[in-house]
Amino acid sequence: MPEKVLIISSEEKPQDKSVSTSMEDSIALREYELLRVLMDNVPDSIYFKDLEGRFVMVNNAKAHNSSTTPEAMIGKTDFDYLTPAQASRVRQLEEEIIKTGKPMVGNIETLTRKAGNIVHILANKVPWCDSEGNIIGTIGISRDITEFKEAREALEQAKNDLEKRIDERTRQLKELNETLLAEVNERTRMEEEIRKNYYTQRAINSVLKIALEPISLNEQLDKTLDLVLSIPWLSLLSKGSIFSYDDATSSLNMISVMGLSDFLRQTCKTVPVGMCLCGKCALTRETIFVNHLDNRHDIGYDGMTDHGHYCVPIQKGSQLLGVVNLYVAAGHTTTHMEVAFLMAVADSIAGMMERDKNESERHKLQNQLIHSEKLSALGRLSASVAHEIRNPLTAIGGFARRLHKMVLEGTKEREYADVISAESSRLEIILKNILSYSRGETHSISSQNLNEIIAETIRNYSETMAEKCVKVYFMAGNLPLIKVDRTQIRQVFDNLVTNAIDAMPSVGGSIRITTKSTVKDNVKCAMIQIEDSGAGIPADKISMIFEPFFSTKEMGRGTGLGLPITRRIVTEHGGMINVESAPGAGSIFTVYLPYKE
């Protein structure tokens, strides 16, 4: 049932006030006048429309907003004042109200007047009913809220602008704060880096001071390792080691250690190149960093805790001298500064090793020079004596051989003559060796196959080795032709093989001869190694075996000139000879002869 509304119809509108005589007419007239006063004095637009949408009554505000007069609007529709589209939309809404009897409250409409101005209307529309409740049209009250809406939109825009300004300012403040924070962090980082650089430089200076101290290399390395492990900013565990590189065995030897267990000290005493992290560092010549145990740790034991390593190569140019091995906690993160510092320490250690090597070589050369001077003097004296006794000895030997022919066999005189003749021959050989050692010989250099010369020596002494049941094993490597004096090099091999045979027990033994190409002190060399299973040389005598007239053989079995002559020949060929021996473990003589391809 539609709501009850004020009922005013055109039939009820009085036409002449003088005619209305009844009380009802008077009341109706009075209500109409009040309604009219109300309608004409409110700012809102008020209008009545019939079922066809024609204006039946409008107030002044409605006529003013439509740019006309109330009288002119009676009987007209919205199509006379609005655009067709807008008038159609308004008509549809009113027809819906008439059809349903439901009011429409608070509807905001945007209208374009025929004059072209756009307005915003807040409209309330209700059904218009007669006294019997029948809908006879619509009543509308609308308010022009254009200024309000524009003010509201302006306020909303201002609000949005303010929020944008606040957001922009907030963003600027945030960026400024981030910039300031970044600057503070950068300054803190720079201060920390400066502090670390200061301590790093102090540490490097301390390492350099250690390098100049008049102490042994091992003491220098121990002090350096202790210094590095005690640096506060360097995140290292208090244990590590330093290895030296042995080119001959292609392995690392531990020469300084701190904080390691006895097991690791013994297990890692010698590490082959390529094995575990230290060996891989020596193989690649690059710094290795790991922060946990992985499959590259070839050496381990039950209960080993997780940890990491810095393995830094010690090098002089391209030459490997050793490796520094330091421990770090599991999960440690490496930094460029740590790596740079440890590489600088490794360079300082390389300087220590090189200086120690140079000092050792200087002392060695100095001792060799003194020894050479002594030997030279001894050689000159020996040559002088040899010349003085050579002629008498020749005469004695000659007469002894004549007596040997003249004296009857089986007599004491024949026996004496044989002894004199044999000893004279032995003395002549000694004199020959003395003269050969003292004056040297001219070289006849030509390209030779060393393996063939060694094979000749083996054949030459094959009967002697067979008599003593000595087995010989010859592992001939691939050697290029090398320019040597064939006769002298053959004498070197003869002397070394003879000594190896003489070093054997009365029966049995073995000789192992190996040849191969190698690099010694950055020079390509042919290596000839002669190893015997003999009695070995005592440690207190091994340094004297290359001195003239010194022999470990029994009296009468050697002149003491074989090895000195051997070393002189090898040295004159630009090579070197080394010996390794221990009592009961046999001896190994290694000859290095340089060559150019």
Side-chain angles (χ1 to χ4, degrees):
M1 186 67 183
E3 298 181 9
K4 296 296 183 178
V5 299
L6 178 63
I7 302 172
I8 299 177
S9 65
S10 57
E11 292 81 2
E12 297 174 320
K13 181 177 178 182
Q15 302 296 320
D16 186 358
K17 292 181 182 181
S18 62
V19 179
S20 301
T21 58
S22 66
M23 181 63 69
E24 291 82 1
D25 292 341
S26 178
I27 294 172
L29 178 61
R30 181 61 178 166
E31 289 177 352
Y32 174 79
E33 289 175 348
L34 290 174
L35 176 60
R36 188 79 249 185
V37 171
L38 175 64
M39 289 178 58
D40 289 339
N41 285 281
V42 296
D44 296 338
S45 296
I46 302 174
Y47 55 88
F48 292 79
K49 293 182 180 179
D50 61 17
L51 294 175
E52 302 300 326
R54 294 185 292 265
F55 290 105
V56 175
M57 181 184 296
V58 297
N59 68 346
N60 292 332
K62 175 63 176 175
H64 174 75
N65 290 333
S66 300
S67 302
T68 184
T69 63
E71 294 78 7
M73 293 187 69
I74 301 303
K76 295 184 179 181
T77 66
D78 286 319
F79 286 92
D80 295 307
Y81 302 101
L82 301 177
T83 64
Q86 291 175 345
S88 296
R89 187 168 67 251
V90 171
R91 181 58 185 159
Q92 288 177 359
L93 291 175
E94 292 173 346
E95 287 177 347
E96 184 69 20
I97 293 171
I98 294 170
K99 179 180 180 181
T100 62
K102 294 181 179 180
M104 183 196 69
V105 179
N107 185 48
I108 298 176
E109 300 175 353
T110 301
L111 305 175
T112 303
R113 307 289 188 190
K114 282 197 171 183
N117 57 315
I118 298 175
V119 294
H120 303 284
I121 302 298
L122 176 62
N124 297 300
K125 296 183 180 182
V126 297
W128 177 20
C129 300
D130 59 15
S131 59
E132 295 179 359
N134 297 315
I135 297 175
I136 59 174
T138 58
I139 301 172
I141 301 176
S142 62
R143 177 175 294 177
D144 188 343
I145 60 170
T146 302
E147 293 182 359
F148 172 77
K149 185 172 178 63
E150 290 176 352
R152 185 173 180 178
E153 290 178 351
L155 182 62
E156 187 69 23
Q157 183 63 38
K159 177 185 174 183
N160 293 337
D161 292 343
L162 181 59
E163 289 178 349
K164 288 182 179 179
R165 291 175 63 187
I166 292 174
D167 291 342
E168 178 64 18
R169 186 59 178 165
T170 302
R171 184 189 64 77
Q172 292 176 352
L173 290 174
K174 185 178 179 181
E175 290 181 354
L176 180 60
N177 184 56
E178 291 176 351
T179 302
L180 290 175
L181 183 60
E183 290 178 356
V184 170
N185 291 338
E186 179 64 15
R187 182 170 180 176
T188 302
R189 187 191 67 80
M190 291 297 294
E191 289 176 351
E192 180 66 15
E193 188 169 338
I194 290 172
R195 185 180 68 84
K196 288 183 178 180
N197 285 336
Y198 169 73
Y199 286 116
T200 299
Q201 193 57 49
R202 281 187 59 183
I204 294 297
N205 291 339
S206 298
V207 172
L208 294 176
K209 286 179 65 176
I210 293 173
L212 298 176
E213 291 182 11
I215 55 178
S216 67
L217 175 63
N218 286 346
E219 290 175 310
Q220 289 179 338
L221 296 180
D222 289 344
K223 293 183 72 172
T224 300
L225 186 58
D226 180 58
L227 174 67
V228 172
L229 294 178
S230 64
I231 294 175
W233 67 265
L234 200 58
S235 302
L236 300 175
L237 300 179
S238 297
K239 51 186 177 180
S241 57
I242 300 176
F243 294 86
S244 65
Y245 174 64
D246 186 350
D247 183 55
T249 60
S250 190
S251 62
L252 298 171
N253 298 319
M254 187 183 292
I255 57 177
S256 180
V257 61
M258 181 171 293
L260 297 187
S261 64
D262 292 338
F263 172 80
L264 286 177
R265 288 171 183 255
Q266 186 62 33
T267 305
C268 300
K269 184 177 181 180
T270 300
V271 178
V273 170
M275 181 179 182
C276 210
L277 291 175
C278 296
K280 290 178 175 62
C281 174
L283 180 65
T284 62
R285 313 289 177 90
E286 294 179 353
T287 298
I288 293 178
F289 169 77
V290 296
N291 59 2
H292 60 86
L293 291 173
D294 57 22
N295 55 9
R296 288 176 290 179
H297 285 74
D298 299 323
I299 299 175
Y301 56 89
D302 293 337
M304 178 183 286
T305 58
D306 194 12
H307 63 275
H309 285 274
Y310 271 116
C311 293
V312 186
I314 304 171
Q315 301 181 93
K316 180 193 175 185
S318 60
Q319 182 183 3
L320 180 67
L321 302 179
V323 170
V324 179
N325 174 38
L326 302 172
Y327 286 67
V328 298
H332 175 71
T333 302
T334 184
T335 65
H336 173 74
M337 180 173 287
E338 284 183 351
V339 175
F341 171 73
L342 294 178
M343 291 178 65
V345 170
D347 289 341
S348 299
I349 293 175
M352 296 179 193
M353 290 181 169
E354 191 64 20
R355 182 175 174 229
D356 180 75
K357 178 182 177 182
N358 292 337
E359 284 293 317
S360 299
E361 290 181 353
R362 186 177 68 83
H363 287 299
K364 181 180 179 181
L365 291 174
Q366 189 174 16
N367 292 334
Q368 287 179 350
L369 179 60
I370 295 173
H371 186 67
S372 297
E373 291 177 352
K374 290 181 179 179
L375 294 181
S376 179
L378 180 60
R380 290 193 297 270
L381 176 61
S382 300
S384 177
V385 173
H387 279 295
E388 291 296 327
I389 65 175
R390 187 175 186 178
N391 291 334
L393 183 61
T394 301
I396 292 172
F399 284 116
R401 284 186 286 274
R402 292 181 65 181
L403 286 173
H404 175 79
K405 294 178 180 179
M406 295 173 60
V407 178
L408 295 176
E409 188 174 353
T411 62
K412 284 289 183 180
E413 288 78 5
R414 178 68 175 266
E415 182 180 349
Y416 296 153
D418 289 342
V419 171
I420 294 171
S421 178
E423 291 301 314
S424 297
S425 298
R426 191 171 72 85
L427 286 174
E428 288 177 354
I429 294 174
I430 293 173
L431 286 177
K432 180 181 178 182
N433 288 335
I434 290 174
L435 292 174
S436 173
Y437 178 76
S438 61
R439 68 169 177 256
E441 299 180 8
T442 57
H443 299 298
S444 177
I445 302 298
S446 60
S447 296
Q448 299 293 331
N449 187 325
L450 296 185
N451 289 329
E452 291 182 357
I453 300 176
I454 294 172
E456 290 178 2
T457 295
I458 294 173
R459 286 194 298 269
N460 189 50
Y461 290 95
S462 59
E463 292 185 5
T464 303
M465 289 187 285
E467 291 175 0
K468 298 189 68 175
C469 298
V470 175
K471 294 182 179 180
V472 61
Y473 303 94
F474 181 29
M475 280 71 71
N478 186 18
L479 297 178
L481 297 178
I482 299 177
K483 292 185 177 181
V484 295
D485 185 309
R486 184 184 181 89
T487 301
Q488 291 188 356
I489 293 300
R490 167 66 187 276
Q491 185 177 359
V492 168
F493 298 151
D494 286 352
N495 288 343
L496 294 177
V497 170
T498 300
N499 286 346
I501 295 172
D502 292 340
M504 300 296 174
S506 57
V507 177
S510 64
I511 299 174
R512 186 178 300 272
I513 303 175
T514 305
T515 63
K516 68 175 183 178
S517 293
T518 187
V519 176
K520 182 70 172 177
D521 296 333
N522 296 323
V523 177
K524 291 183 179 180
C525 296
M527 187 200 77
I528 303 94
Q529 194 173 76
I530 300 177
E531 178 181 359
D532 64 63
S533 61
I537 305 170
D540 59 337
K541 294 182 179 179
I542 196 168
S543 62
M544 303 167 62
I545 61 175
F546 292 107
E547 293 184 3
F549 307 112
F550 176 82
S551 177
T552 59
K553 300 177 184 179
E554 297 177 2
M555 184 67 69
R557 291 190 60 192
T559 64
L561 289 173
L563 287 178
I565 290 174
T566 295
R567 184 167 74 170
R568 179 181 61 80
I569 294 173
V570 172
T571 302
E572 288 177 353
H573 279 77
M576 61 184 298
I577 181 170
N578 295 332
V579 60
E580 300 175 42
S581 184
S587 301
I588 302 175
F589 285 85
T590 305
V591 176
Y592 295 94
L593 295 174
Y595 66 85
K596 294 181 180 179
E597 293 181 334

